[in-house]
């Protein structure tokens, strides 16, 4: 672990990953929701338009377990196509995108030789989301339906 997290090793790994493959992206315009518009609104409201916009895309497939991810190597945020539905409330797409935007703002921290992505500062910012409690309750129900 100590060797793997040395800055020069992490940098070499990132470069190899970037060169080895490309990210398959399907675009930000979904059938119901447009990630570009939602990003702009969230960036204005929560980040004072200071967050540099990564590539935004819906996932190629529908996924229920992973609803979004930020790929810092390819500077992209991908949101599960499962959320692009008229049955999905807007606050859920906003919450998942906001969560991934926080990964752009907050780099992972190395604590006790472990990379921590959801550290204290991240969690504090996450709770600033206007519909945080509603989103958590919705996610609990969504997981139960599995």
């Amino acid at each position: 672990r100590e060797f793997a997290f040395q800055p020069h090793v992490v940098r070499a790994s990132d470069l190899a990953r970037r060169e080895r493959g490309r990210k398959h992206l399907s675009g930000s315009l979904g059938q119901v929701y447009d990630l570009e518009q939602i990003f702009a609104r969230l960036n204005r409201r929560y980040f004072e338009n200071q967050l540099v916009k990564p590539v935004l895309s819906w996932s190629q497939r529908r996924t229920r377990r992973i609803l979004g991810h930020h790929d810092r190597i390819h500077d992209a945020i991908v949101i599960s196509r499962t959320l692009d539905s008229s049955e999905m409330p807007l606050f859920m797409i906003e919450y998942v995108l906001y969560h991934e935007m926080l990964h752009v703002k907050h780099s992972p921290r190395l604590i006790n030789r472990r990379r921590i992505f959801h550290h204290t500062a991240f969690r504090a910012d996450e709770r600033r989301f206007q519909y945080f409690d509603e989103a958590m309750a919705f996610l609990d129900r969504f997981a139960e339906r599995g």
Side-chain angles (χ1 to χ4, degrees):
R1 271 196 186 283
E2 281 185 42
F3 175 78
F5 287 124
Q6 291 178 13
H8 73 281
V9 174
V10 171
R11 216 173 11 263
S13 173
D14 290 350
L15 287 172
R17 183 167 170 243
R18 186 177 302 132
E19 290 173 10
R20 186 173 49 240
R22 62 184 173 89
K23 191 105 179 137
H24 296 282
L25 303 171
S26 62
S28 64
L29 186 59
Q31 291 183 336
V32 178
Y33 295 107
D34 181 353
L35 296 174
E36 298 275 345
Q37 288 179 352
I38 298 169
F39 180 94
R41 197 168 47 248
L42 293 171
N43 195 15
R44 194 171 39 254
R45 179 172 191 170
Y46 295 103
F47 301 94
E48 299 175 349
N49 282 327
Q50 297 298 307
L51 208 62
V52 176
K53 183 174 65 80
V55 175
L56 302 170
S57 180
W58 292 103
S59 64
Q60 302 242 326
R61 291 176 290 231
R62 295 184 181 279
T63 59
R64 288 187 63 82
R65 195 170 143 269
I66 298 175
L67 299 179
H69 73 274
H70 169 245
D71 185 329
R72 67 182 173 81
I73 302 302
H74 293 102
D75 192 28
I77 291 176
V78 179
I79 304 298
S80 173
R81 188 168 296 286
T82 303
L83 300 179
D84 186 28
S85 163
S86 58
E87 297 171 10
M88 190 62 59
L90 174 61
F91 75 83
M92 278 309 301
I93 290 82
E94 288 178 332
Y95 168 73
V96 173
L97 182 56
Y98 175 70
H99 177 96
E100 300 311 325
M101 292 167 74
L102 288 176
H103 284 294
V104 174
K105 177 182 176 185
H106 294 283
S107 297
R109 296 202 177 142
L110 197 58
I111 300 172
N112 294 328
R113 295 187 306 232
R114 291 187 59 217
R115 210 175 337 188
I116 307 296
F117 291 90
H118 300 125
H119 45 75
T120 306
F122 182 100
R123 291 292 186 197
D125 272 354
E126 187 176 39
R127 284 184 202 83
R128 291 181 49 229
F129 182 69
Q130 180 179 2
Y131 301 103
F132 179 78
D133 293 332
E134 293 89 338
M136 293 300 101
F138 190 94
L139 283 172
D140 286 343
R141 291 190 307 274
F142 188 75
E144 287 173 5
R145 286 186 280 167

